Amino acid sequence: MTAWLFIAPAAIAYAAFVLVPLAMSFYYSFLRWDGIGEARFHGLTNYITVLTDPKLLQIIGNAFQLVGYFTIIPVVLGLAVASVIRGHMAGAFGTATRTILFLPQVIPLVAAGIAWSWMFASTGVVNQGLRAIGLSDWARGWLGDFVWALPAVGMIGAWVLLGLCTMLLVTGITKIDPSLYEAARLDGARPWHEFRYITLPGLRQEIAVCVTLTVISALASFDIVYISTLGGPGITTTVPGLEIYRLAFAHRQVGLASALAIVLMVLVLISITPIQWFAREKK
């Protein structure tokens, strides 16, 4: 009974703000309802629409494309930075590097989206830099371009998540016994061999955590997209989170929005389950 009393406050808050809304969304997903009038049972029609409508499928595909930017770039660069500053953790160089890379985590996503919107504008810093080095043909309105808008949003997300991944990986690399690197060097191992056979296996769980967090951030993204492009041009940068908001509050299709939210939750779980298995495969 004492244990249950200690657990009760957190359990009640979790049930109120997670489990109950989740159950309500699941219930709404079977309805045809505008949020105000009479709700009618709609069966699996909303789910069929989500899984067959070309527009909604493209929107889901946009989120999976963002996974490549939100996950691969921060994790790869984070591993590189962690490996470089491994021997300078306590020095001024390591401290400055960690501080600079972690700054995007402190900045609100809304502010980051606004700042990057200015930088990606036709007269922004990015285009000015391209013109300065003789690449004027590459200058464009990045966030308004049908081809480059989604990669531009992906780069914003990669910049935001780089600091988080770097800090997790730097923290993880400190637990690896330095004698392993010394023994490897005595055996004639090159830096690449140290990275492949010592650093990567030693950071297995940290890499899994980074990938899990970044995949969830990509699939559930909303803030950056809403501020930087509002889903445009067209629907080239529209993601499920933004479409759920539009369907529920602009188009008054609460049932369809709830079905899309449930499908998104399932996709997130399917995506992160193999990652968790990968982290637990070897201790």
Side-chain angles (χ1 to χ4, degrees), residues 160-174:
V160 170
L161 294 169
L162 174 60
L164 174 63
C165 290
T166 301
M167 292 302 295
L168 288 173
L169 295 171
V170 166
T171 303
I173 209 171
T174 57

Side-chain angles (χ1 to χ4, degrees), residues 66 70 109-114 117 143 149-150 153-154 156-157 217-218 220-233 236-247 249-250:
L66 287 180
F70 280 45
L109 290 179
V110 173
I114 294 173
S117 297
L143 294 174
L150 191 62
V153 171
I156 300 174
S217 296
S221 56
F222 176 85
D223 312 62
I224 294 175
V225 177
Y226 183 83
I227 295 299
S228 59
T229 66
L230 204 60
T236 53
T237 62
T238 303
V239 290
L242 181 58
E243 188 63 14
I244 291 168
Y245 170 79
R246 286 178 176 171
L247 288 172
F249 298 105

Side-chain angles (χ1 to χ4, degrees), residues 42 44-54 56-57 253 256:
H42 214 39
L44 295 174
T45 305
N46 290 325
Y47 287 98
I48 294 173
T49 301
V50 170
L51 298 175
T52 57
D53 186 278
L56 294 177
L57 291 177
Q253 294 177 281
L256 184 58

Side-chain angles (χ1 to χ4, degrees), residues 40-124:
R40 297 181 180 179
F41 182 72
H42 214 39
L44 295 174
T45 305
N46 290 325
Y47 287 98
I48 294 173
T49 301
V50 170
L51 298 175
T52 57
D53 186 278
K55 175 185 175 182
L56 294 177
L57 291 177
Q58 180 182 343
I59 289 171
I60 295 173
N62 291 341
F64 278 97
Q65 288 186 56
L66 287 180
V67 171
Y69 297 96
F70 280 45
T71 300
I72 296 176
I73 296 176
V75 172
V76 171
L77 290 181
L79 281 170
V81 173
S83 300
V84 169
I85 68 174
R86 174 174 55 84
H88 309 279
M89 294 293 187
F93 174 76
T95 303
T97 302
R98 293 196 302 270
T99 302
I100 293 171
L101 291 175
F102 194 71
L103 279 177
Q105 289 297 309
V106 181
I107 301 173
L109 290 179
V110 173
I114 294 173
W116 277 95
S117 297
W118 292 342
M119 288 190 285
F120 276 131
S122 300
T123 57

Side-chain angles (χ1 to χ4, degrees), residues 9-23:
I12 293 172
Y14 185 78
F17 294 103
V18 177
L19 298 182
V20 172
L22 178 61

